[in-house]
Amino acid sequence: MFNERTFLSGIENMKMAIEVIAEAAPDAIQLPPGTAPILQAIPGKHRPALVLRTDIANIYGNPLPSQLFSEMIDRAVEQGVALDAACVVVNLLMLPDQPEVYRACVRNVNSLKRQCEIYGMPLMVEPLVMQDNSKGAYMVDGAIDKILPLVRQAAELGADIIKADPCDNVEEYHRVVEIAQGLPVLVRGGGRVSDQEILIRTKQLMEQGARGIVYGRNVIQHHNPGGMTRALMAIVHDKASVEQASRHIG
């Protein structure tokens, strides 16, 4: 959805990628409208739930375009209902010196909130604080004093679920959980890191009150995406140790 070549690694063949992950039985898979039907075509009651991505932004390219935007898909919640989604998700982007993108995101959240209430659809908001784009593309900013107010804004705009980045010092993540006012906080995975790093970080985050994780590249770009999914699920659901979880990867 973000028109960025580096995000395609591991999902060039979307049908195969979705089937591999679905077989590992995560709770849900986040997909955009065009490829969500691949997941929903998998037969049986035990397929993962669909979380529908509802917005498109052009902030990840290098070099950046002269004008940045964040646009929502048409009648997003209706599309979610038609696709039998369990939840819809939208960004709340805070980019340095880009107030118009931020304003567009606030409008998107406001618009979705009322639609979600009407249809009984849970709303996941993704508050993302980005660093200055001096390297030609925005990268995540893990400064907790920037993350906290944006997470709180997401809660006050009416999010049912918060999907937030880890902070620079993982041991402070309980403050993000607290600021969300009792809403379930799911943690983004961010850029690709080693198996040991992602498993240790996940364990630390769960121990501080995170309710779950939403990982993309650290799963789908892994040499064994199914095994990594099972390893992470063991930490999230079974409170497995890092050593125990690692056995799923092989």
Side-chain angles (χ1 to χ4, degrees):
M1 287 282 268
F2 300 115
N3 195 26
E4 171 54 33
R5 172 64 184 89
T6 59
F7 289 177
L8 287 174
S9 299
I11 57 169
E12 293 89 348
N13 184 329
M14 199 59 151
K15 185 173 188 294
M16 184 185 299
I18 290 170
E19 288 173 351
V20 167
I21 298 300
E23 177 68 25
D27 297 298
I29 299 178
Q30 181 180 298
L31 293 166
T35 49
I38 298 171
L39 172 64
Q40 301 302 58
I42 296 174
K45 327 177 180 179
H46 302 297
R47 70 168 178 259
L50 168 65
V51 174
L52 184 69
R53 163 62 64 188
T54 65
D55 53 350
I56 309 103
N58 66 338
I59 65 167
Y60 293 106
N62 185 0
L64 286 167
S66 58
Q67 263 192 315
L68 301 181
F69 65 79
S70 179
E71 295 280 345
M72 200 160 58
I73 63 174
D74 185 48
R75 291 187 285 186
V77 182
E78 286 185 33
Q79 291 197 50
V81 171
L83 287 164
D84 195 24
C87 180
V88 295
V89 59
V90 66
N91 279 321
L92 179 58
L93 299 165
M94 179 67 77
L95 314 178
D97 302 318
Q98 294 292 341
E100 287 307 312
V101 174
Y102 169 61
R103 184 182 187 188
C105 289
V106 170
R107 285 174 172 163
N108 290 345
V109 177
N110 280 331
S111 172
L112 273 176
K113 175 59 181 171
R114 184 59 188 139
Q115 292 180 49
C116 285
E117 288 175 340
I118 291 167
Y119 285 93
M121 178 70 72
L123 173 60
M124 183 189 298
V125 178
E126 192 168 345
L128 300 185
V129 183
M130 300 295 200
Q131 297 177 23
D132 183 78
N133 65 324
S134 55
K135 295 181 181 177
Y138 289 107
M139 305 293 287
V140 167
D141 190 332
I144 194 161
D145 286 337
K146 297 177 184 176
I147 294 173
L148 291 176
L150 199 62
V151 167
R152 183 56 166 267
Q153 183 176 50
E156 295 190 2
L157 284 169
D160 298 300
I161 306 164
I162 302 286
K163 174 184 171 187
D165 278 311
C167 45
D168 290 332
N169 179 1
V170 178
E171 293 177 1
E172 289 190 295
Y173 205 75
H174 61 93
R175 297 175 62 193
V176 178
V177 173
E178 177 188 34
I179 214 75
Q181 302 304 294
L183 296 175
V185 175
L186 310 181
V187 191
R188 292 177 80 244
R192 188 84 169 85
V193 296
S194 70
D195 294 356
Q196 197 72 359
E197 183 176 342
I198 198 67
L199 293 178
I200 289 171
R201 185 202 302 165
T202 302
K203 184 71 176 173
Q204 291 175 314
L205 291 164
M206 294 304 297
E207 288 174 344
Q208 290 182 78
R211 296 283 290 279
I213 55 174
V214 186
Y215 289 179
R217 285 164 284 177
N218 280 293
V219 171
I220 203 63
Q221 293 179 0
H222 194 271
H223 68 87
N224 180 3
M228 177 54 82
T229 299
R230 285 184 283 271
L232 292 165
M233 293 281 286
I235 292 174
V236 170
H237 285 297
D238 304 326
K239 300 183 179 178
S241 68
V242 170
E243 183 182 354
Q244 291 166 331
S246 298
R247 293 175 194 152
H248 291 278
I249 299 172

